[in-house]
Amino acid sequence: MRILIELEERPIHRAPLAVLDHLYYYTVQYGLSVRQFTGQHWTYWERLPERLRKAQDNPAELEEVIVELESLAASSDTRRQRRKAQIDGRWAQKETVLNAQLLSVLAALPPDLLALGFREAIPARPFPGRLRIVDLRMEGDGGEHVDFVEPDLLLLGEDHLVMVEIKTRGSSRSSRDYPPNQLLNYLHLVAKCRESGDPTLPDRFTHLILVPSLDPKWLEKQSQWVLETQDEEGRLRVDPEACIELSKKKASYDYEVLGQLAREVPIYYRSWGQLHRAFEAAVEGFGDPRNEAHWRSVMAEIGELARRAGRHK
């Protein structure tokens, strides 16, 4: 299937809206579903009136329904406490929220400072002199929405696309690791950009996996497909065949092409702390003494996000 790919500049105001979109589509993840409020799925409540009608002349069935409802009512305070703990204890640490905050901070930087910061973090050469944050939009032949990858952060500059996947610490252990099929999804995007023949799309690509720490545990089953998290050139090296073997096969993917791209596209594994230090160094080389205090305050925001990304309750 032919896919129309567009990279549109991302306005700063998109960050909070992205969080609201995520809340709408993933209510269970945030403790906002009907079941988490009432103790039962919405289908239970949809069927309840008919159950009560049928039980009117059957005391045993009616009593069964009453006992169920009494049990749900008795556990309402427990459910309330769980929702409160979800909001008070972990809301600010949610990956989606931290991603949106990072994008908001980065979007406030000039394109040349944004590029300088990422150039400090990943030694990919050649590297753009200016970067801007963009959103990805994909449509099929019939205008339908296509969604095989949802990058956390895309940076475009000088025919070069930097694709960033962001991970945060969700618990005392890695709760949402980066799986090998996620890498293939990013590489499929590269393949589709190149085969489109669209001269407005980038031709050079870099992939950055941003994680709470340099521990390889953030990579799912890493011992089976990751050869090195940092080779002599600072890249993460993978075994393409193992990546493919560990992933669910998709008919639309050309795995021969993806295997080649896994060897060709630079992949980097960096911590939030490294990103923070890279931007601190970028300010030093930016050469803007008049606004240096302001840029340092922005870097401090990145530092705070780095601290929260590595923290868990």
Side-chain angles (χ1 to χ4, degrees):
M1 178 180 68
R2 181 177 174 81
I3 298 176
L4 171 67
I5 300 174
E6 292 185 352
L7 297 169
E8 304 171 337
E9 188 153 5
R10 180 189 180 95
I12 295 178
H13 71 260
R14 272 295 303 149
L17 294 177
V19 174
L20 293 177
D21 286 344
H22 199 274
L23 277 172
Y24 180 81
Y25 288 108
Y26 299 96
T27 55
V28 172
Q29 194 177 108
Y30 295 96
L32 302 175
S33 69
V34 172
R35 184 186 186 98
Q36 286 160 319
F37 269 93
T38 68
Q40 286 290 353
H41 191 265
W42 62 268
T43 54
Y44 173 90
W45 302 106
E46 191 177 64
R47 293 192 299 264
L48 184 60
E50 185 60 27
R51 285 185 65 195
L52 289 172
R53 287 192 189 95
K54 291 180 178 179
Q56 286 181 96
D57 300 320
N58 188 325
E61 286 188 20
L62 184 60
E63 180 62 21
E64 181 182 333
V65 174
I66 291 172
V67 169
E68 284 181 10
L69 296 176
E70 285 177 336
S71 176
L72 292 172
S75 60
S76 63
D77 188 60
T78 300
R79 291 192 298 274
R80 183 181 65 81
Q81 292 296 335
R82 286 175 182 168
R83 292 195 304 276
K84 185 175 186 299
Q86 171 84 341
I87 294 170
D88 293 350
R90 286 174 285 179
W91 167 253
Q93 311 304 326
K94 281 292 183 182
E95 193 166 278
T96 301
V97 177
L98 288 173
N99 289 3
Q101 291 171 323
L102 178 62
L103 264 64
S104 293
V105 173
L106 296 179
L109 298 176
D112 43 353
L113 180 53
L114 188 59
L116 191 58
F118 277 94
R119 189 186 304 135
E120 290 281 345
I122 50 179
R125 297 292 182 267
F127 200 81
R130 294 167 64 85
L131 286 175
R132 57 192 176 96
I133 298 176
V134 294
D135 280 330
L136 172 67
R137 189 170 71 86
M138 297 186 291
E139 288 184 359
D141 294 327
E144 71 276 14
H145 175 65
V146 175
D147 179 16
F148 56 81
V149 65
E150 294 183 4
D152 291 324
L153 170 61
L154 289 177
L155 300 142
L156 179 63
E158 301 166 22
D159 196 33
H160 192 145
L161 185 67
V162 181
M163 309 172 295
V164 186
E165 179 72 13
I166 301 173
K167 295 298 178 186
T168 64
R169 187 188 295 271
S171 66
S172 59
R173 60 174 298 279
S174 169
S175 58
R176 286 193 176 186
D177 302 337
Y178 181 101
N181 66 280
Q182 184 75 336
L183 174 59
L184 297 182
N185 291 339
Y186 275 103
L187 296 177
H188 187 57
L189 174 61
V190 174
K192 286 299 179 183
C193 283
R194 288 185 172 174
E195 73 180 38
S196 71
D198 185 344
T200 66
L201 292 177
D203 186 56
R204 290 182 292 128
F205 300 86
T206 298
H207 184 35
L208 170 63
I209 305 170
L210 188 66
V211 289
S213 70
L214 290 179
D215 192 313
K217 71 177 182 179
W218 310 104
L219 301 165
E220 183 180 291
K221 300 178 181 177
Q222 54 88 17
S223 63
Q224 300 180 46
W225 61 282
V226 177
L227 302 176
E228 289 182 273
T229 55
Q230 195 158 311
D231 65 11
E232 292 180 357
E233 297 179 351
R235 299 184 183 186
L236 180 143
R237 289 198 310 115
V238 304
D239 179 340
E241 287 72 27
C243 285
I244 295 169
E245 185 66 29
L246 292 167
S247 303
K248 292 182 179 178
K249 300 297 187 295
K250 297 181 181 180
S252 59
Y253 283 21
D254 185 332
Y255 287 96
E256 184 176 346
V257 170
L258 298 186
Q260 180 58 40
L261 289 174
R263 298 179 180 90
E264 175 191 333
V265 174
I267 307 167
Y268 295 92
Y269 191 69
R270 296 290 185 270
S271 71
W272 280 74
Q274 285 179 307
L275 183 70
H276 174 222
R277 291 189 292 276
F279 271 94
E280 285 188 317
V283 170
E284 293 282 350
F286 189 46
D288 184 15
R290 179 178 178 180
N291 298 303
E292 184 173 339
H294 169 68
W295 300 131
R296 290 201 176 282
S297 70
V298 176
M299 298 312 112
E301 293 295 325
I302 297 177
E304 172 60 17
L305 292 176
R307 184 184 69 82
R308 288 167 50 199
R311 188 176 69 182
H312 66 85
K313 287 289 181 180

